[in-house]
Amino acid sequence: MSFYSRQDRHLPVRPNLDQLKHQAKDLLRAVRRGDKEAIEEFRRYHPEPSRFALNADEMSAHLTQDACAPIKLADAQLALARSYQAPSWPRLVQACNLIDAIWRDDVDTVRRIVTENPKLLHENALVRNSNWGPPLSYAANLGRDEIIKLLYKFGAMDLEHAMGRALLQSKVETAAILHELLGSPLPPAGSLGGPAYTLSTQGTAFALRVGAPVRDEDGQRLAPVDVVLETDSRNPKAKHEILEMYVAHGLELPDTPTMALHRGRIDLLEKHLRRDPRLLERTFTHEEIYPPEMGCHDELQATQGTPLKGTTLLHLCADYDEIEIARWLLEKGMDVNARAVIDAGGFGGHTALFATVVSQPNFWMNYQNRPQRAPFTQLLLDHGADPNLRASLRKQLHPGYGPKYDVTKTYEYRDVTALSWGQQFHAQVFVSESAMKLIEERGGRE
């Protein structure tokens, strides 16, 4: 049995050099005691593993030959660095020091590092391929304006990418500086994509203000409505504001109940209800929720917790954190126990209560260690949600959640209650413990 802990080698956005030093020492100790997993990792990443006797058999075979070199800390550090896609340990240390200086807004240290190593200006700050980009773009993510000016003066060229990162991170003042350094051009066609993904109202407003188009010269949609609807972010107010900005700049959105919900427009939902008195009983297809004409994709690409295909407006509210619209629906007489469509395979039939137990808002609550709260679950239970209705569901996670979570397999959950749906779900980061506790208190069973 191996006691060596090999993590997936992937530098975090802000790597910790002390932790990397400890990892190198752990690798060295594990190889010396003959741990198979550690030896396998060392062989895979060290450029000359044959120079070392790494297990008992090799040591015995070399007793009568020239002795193999003993493995030293420097060897383990080299193997570890290469596992992180750095060519050497000094290069990995260099990356950590540069990133740390950018985080601390230490202009002098950044100047010293890039003066000694000017090629760093054009390499990824994290060594590996990363959306955070070279040092100037990395600094743009954090709004380090003086460092940006310094790196530009030294010859950094990634201004356009840096501006996109600044907009994605809502660093509007930084984006303005970069825009000026670029010569104040019209933004490229995809400039609205970054702030759409993070639901950055400030970034979107800036991009539109400096001329980012929502349509091309032929009138075709450029505004990334699909990104706004399908992103893993959950911020109802920001989502509403961004969609309304697109409309204000000339984009037409579908006149549907689901789009009215996406826009947070109860006034439009009122109109739909007057036109269709059975609206609160309706279920909606995936294409109605995520319209292809707005660039939306298949079910797997539309980030959500409990499946939304074939569900009601109330189900949508739970995953998109639209609690005010949910209250409106219930006040208008919506059945709190309305079920999703059951497909040919027998999957579906779940109520909105299921969607409060496994949801995208829960992911962020757990991932960011926010206080455990379940206001949606409380609302539904207070309006008579049955905690023991059963349904069958299947779920495959969006590819973006790999490799930490299994994104390759479709999991099936047959005849589960909302409580057992949460208990059995294969990625517990999407599950609300507070929701399950409330359901149990109301008599919910597995």
Side-chain angles (χ1 to χ4, degrees), residues 218-252:
D218 298 322
Q220 299 299 308
R221 178 192 57 82
L222 292 174
V225 177
D226 56 320
V227 179
V228 176
L229 304 190
E230 296 178 343
T231 179
D232 56 9
S233 300
R234 289 296 183 265
N235 182 338
K237 183 175 183 293
K239 176 184 174 185
H240 305 160
E241 291 179 3
I242 290 172
L243 291 174
E244 295 308 317
M245 286 185 211
Y246 294 165
V247 172
H249 282 77
L251 185 71
E252 292 182 9

Coordinates of all heavy atoms in Angstrom, one line a residue, residues 218-252:
D218 N -23.9 42.7 -40.8 CA -25.0 42.1 -41.4 C -26.2 41.9 -40.5 O -27.2 41.3 -40.9 CB -24.6 40.7 -42.0 CG -23.5 40.8 -43.1 OD1 -23.6 41.8 -43.8 OD2 -22.6 40.0 -43.1
G219 N -26.1 42.4 -39.3 CA -27.2 42.3 -38.3 C -27.2 41.0 -37.5 O -28.1 40.8 -36.8
Q220 N -26.2 40.2 -37.7 CA -26.1 38.9 -37.0 C -25.7 39.2 -35.5 O -24.8 40.0 -35.3 CB -25.2 37.9 -37.7 CG -25.6 37.6 -39.1 CD -27.0 36.9 -39.1 OE1 -27.2 36.0 -38.4 NE2 -27.9 37.5 -40.0
R221 N -26.2 38.4 -34.6 CA -25.9 38.5 -33.2 C -24.5 38.3 -32.9 O -23.9 37.3 -33.3 CB -26.8 37.5 -32.4 CG -26.6 37.6 -30.9 CD -27.2 36.4 -30.2 NE -26.8 35.1 -30.8 CZ -25.7 34.5 -30.4 NH1 -24.8 35.0 -29.5 NH2 -25.3 33.4 -31.0
L222 N -23.9 39.2 -32.2 CA -22.5 39.0 -31.6 C -22.6 38.9 -30.1 O -21.7 38.3 -29.5 CB -21.6 40.1 -32.1 CG -21.2 40.2 -33.5 CD1 -20.4 41.5 -33.8 CD2 -20.4 39.0 -34.0
A223 N -23.5 39.5 -29.5 CA -23.6 39.5 -28.0 C -23.7 38.1 -27.5 O -24.6 37.3 -28.0 CB -24.9 40.3 -27.6
P224 N -22.9 37.7 -26.6 CA -22.9 36.3 -26.1 C -24.0 35.9 -25.2 O -23.7 35.6 -24.0 CB -21.5 36.2 -25.5 CG -21.3 37.6 -24.9 CD -21.9 38.5 -25.9
V225 N -25.2 36.0 -25.7 CA -26.4 35.6 -24.8 C -26.2 34.2 -24.3 O -26.5 33.9 -23.2 CB -27.7 35.8 -25.6 CG1 -28.9 35.3 -24.8 CG2 -27.8 37.2 -26.1
D226 N -25.7 33.3 -25.2 CA -25.5 31.9 -24.8 C -24.6 31.8 -23.5 O -24.8 31.0 -22.6 CB -24.9 31.1 -25.9 CG -23.6 31.6 -26.5 OD1 -23.5 32.9 -26.6 OD2 -22.7 30.9 -26.8
V227 N -23.5 32.6 -23.5 CA -22.6 32.6 -22.4 C -23.3 33.1 -21.1 O -23.2 32.5 -20.0 CB -21.4 33.4 -22.6 CG1 -20.4 33.4 -21.4 CG2 -20.6 32.9 -23.9
V228 N -24.1 34.1 -21.2 CA -24.8 34.6 -20.1 C -25.8 33.6 -19.5 O -25.9 33.4 -18.3 CB -25.6 35.9 -20.4 CG1 -26.4 36.4 -19.3 CG2 -24.6 37.0 -20.9
L229 N -26.5 32.9 -20.4 CA -27.5 31.9 -19.9 C -26.8 30.6 -19.4 O -27.3 30.0 -18.5 CB -28.4 31.5 -21.1 CG -29.2 32.7 -21.7 CD1 -30.3 32.1 -22.6 CD2 -29.8 33.6 -20.7
E230 N -25.7 30.2 -20.0 CA -25.1 28.9 -19.7 C -23.9 29.0 -18.8 O -23.5 27.9 -18.3 CB -24.6 28.3 -21.0 CG -25.8 28.0 -22.0 CD -25.3 27.4 -23.3 OE1 -24.1 27.5 -23.6 OE2 -26.1 26.8 -24.0
T231 N -23.5 30.1 -18.4 CA -22.3 30.2 -17.5 C -22.6 29.5 -16.1 O -23.8 29.4 -15.7 CB -21.9 31.7 -17.2 OG1 -20.8 31.7 -16.4 CG2 -23.1 32.5 -16.6
D232 N -21.6 29.1 -15.5 CA -21.7 28.5 -14.1 C -22.0 29.6 -13.1 O -22.3 29.3 -11.9 CB -20.6 27.6 -13.8 CG -19.2 28.3 -13.8 OD1 -19.2 29.6 -14.0 OD2 -18.2 27.7 -13.7
S233 N -21.7 30.8 -13.4 CA -22.0 31.9 -12.4 C -23.5 32.0 -12.1 O -24.3 31.7 -12.9 CB -21.5 33.2 -13.0 OG -20.1 33.2 -13.2
R234 N -23.8 32.4 -10.9 CA -25.1 32.7 -10.5 C -25.2 34.0 -9.8 O -24.8 34.1 -8.6 CB -25.7 31.5 -9.6 CG -25.9 30.2 -10.3 CD -27.0 30.3 -11.4 NE -27.3 29.1 -12.0 CZ -26.8 28.7 -13.2 NH1 -25.8 29.4 -13.8 NH2 -27.1 27.5 -13.7
N235 N -25.7 35.0 -10.5 CA -25.9 36.3 -9.9 C -27.1 37.0 -10.7 O -26.9 37.6 -11.7 CB -24.6 37.2 -10.2 CG -24.7 38.6 -9.6 OD1 -25.8 39.1 -9.4 ND2 -23.5 39.2 -9.3
P236 N -28.3 36.7 -10.2 CA -29.5 37.1 -10.9 C -29.5 38.6 -11.3 O -29.8 38.9 -12.5 CB -30.6 36.8 -10.0 CG -30.1 35.7 -9.1 CD -28.6 36.0 -8.9
K237 N -29.1 39.5 -10.4 CA -29.2 40.9 -10.7 C -28.2 41.3 -11.8 O -28.6 42.0 -12.8 CB -28.8 41.7 -9.4 CG -28.9 43.2 -9.6 CD -28.6 43.9 -8.3 CE -28.7 45.4 -8.4 NZ -27.7 46.0 -9.2
A238 N -27.0 40.7 -11.8 CA -26.0 41.0 -12.9 C -26.5 40.4 -14.2 O -26.4 41.1 -15.2 CB -24.7 40.5 -12.5
K239 N -27.0 39.2 -14.1 CA -27.5 38.6 -15.4 C -28.6 39.4 -16.0 O -28.6 39.7 -17.2 CB -28.1 37.2 -15.0 CG -28.7 36.4 -16.2 CD -29.2 35.1 -15.6 CE -30.0 34.4 -16.7 NZ -30.7 33.2 -16.2
H240 N -29.6 39.9 -15.2 CA -30.6 40.8 -15.7 C -30.1 42.0 -16.4 O -30.5 42.4 -17.5 CB -31.6 41.2 -14.6 CG -32.2 40.0 -13.8 ND1 -32.7 40.2 -12.5 CD2 -32.3 38.7 -14.1 CE1 -33.1 39.0 -12.1 NE2 -32.9 38.1 -13.0
E241 N -29.1 42.6 -15.7 CA -28.6 43.9 -16.2 C -27.9 43.7 -17.5 O -27.9 44.6 -18.4 CB -27.7 44.5 -15.1 CG -28.4 45.0 -13.9 CD -27.5 45.6 -12.8 OE1 -26.3 45.7 -13.1 OE2 -28.0 46.0 -11.8
I242 N -27.1 42.7 -17.6 CA -26.3 42.4 -18.8 C -27.3 42.2 -20.0 O -27.1 42.8 -21.1 CB -25.3 41.3 -18.6 CG1 -24.2 41.7 -17.7 CG2 -24.8 40.8 -20.0 CD1 -23.3 40.5 -17.3
L243 N -28.3 41.4 -19.8 CA -29.2 41.1 -20.9 C -29.9 42.4 -21.3 O -30.2 42.7 -22.5 CB -30.3 40.1 -20.5 CG -29.7 38.6 -20.3 CD1 -30.7 37.7 -19.8 CD2 -29.2 38.1 -21.7
E244 N -30.3 43.3 -20.3 CA -30.9 44.5 -20.7 C -30.0 45.5 -21.4 O -30.4 46.3 -22.2 CB -31.5 45.2 -19.4 CG -32.6 44.4 -18.7 CD -33.7 44.0 -19.7 OE1 -34.2 44.9 -20.5 OE2 -34.2 42.9 -19.7
M245 N -28.7 45.4 -21.0 CA -27.7 46.2 -21.8 C -27.7 45.8 -23.2 O -27.6 46.7 -24.1 CB -26.3 46.1 -21.2 CG -26.1 46.8 -19.9 SD -24.3 46.5 -19.4 CE -24.5 46.5 -17.6
Y246 N -27.7 44.5 -23.5 CA -27.7 44.1 -24.9 C -28.9 44.6 -25.6 O -28.8 45.1 -26.8 CB -27.7 42.5 -24.9 CG -26.5 41.8 -24.4 CD1 -26.5 40.5 -24.1 CD2 -25.3 42.5 -24.2 CE1 -25.4 39.8 -23.7 CE2 -24.2 41.8 -23.7 CZ -24.2 40.5 -23.4 OH -23.1 39.8 -23.0
V247 N -30.1 44.5 -25.0 CA -31.3 45.0 -25.6 C -31.2 46.5 -25.9 O -31.6 47.0 -26.9 CB -32.5 44.7 -24.7 CG1 -33.8 45.4 -25.2 CG2 -32.7 43.2 -24.6
A248 N -30.7 47.3 -24.9 CA -30.5 48.7 -25.0 C -29.6 49.1 -26.2 O -29.7 50.2 -26.8 CB -30.0 49.3 -23.7
H249 N -28.7 48.2 -26.5 CA -27.7 48.5 -27.6 C -28.2 47.8 -28.9 O -27.4 47.7 -29.9 CB -26.3 48.0 -27.2 CG -25.6 48.9 -26.3 ND1 -25.9 49.0 -25.0 CD2 -24.7 49.9 -26.6 CE1 -25.2 49.9 -24.4 NE2 -24.4 50.5 -25.4
G250 N -29.4 47.4 -29.0 CA -30.0 47.0 -30.3 C -30.2 45.5 -30.5 O -30.6 45.1 -31.6
L251 N -30.0 44.7 -29.5 CA -30.3 43.2 -29.7 C -31.7 42.9 -29.3 O -32.2 43.3 -28.3 CB -29.3 42.4 -28.8 CG -29.3 40.9 -29.0 CD1 -28.7 40.5 -30.4 CD2 -28.6 40.2 -27.9
E252 N -32.3 42.1 -30.1 CA -33.7 41.6 -29.8 C -33.6 40.2 -29.1 O -32.8 39.3 -29.6 CB -34.5 41.5 -31.0 CG -34.9 42.9 -31.6 CD -35.8 42.7 -32.8 OE1 -36.2 41.6 -33.1 OE2 -36.0 43.8 -33.5

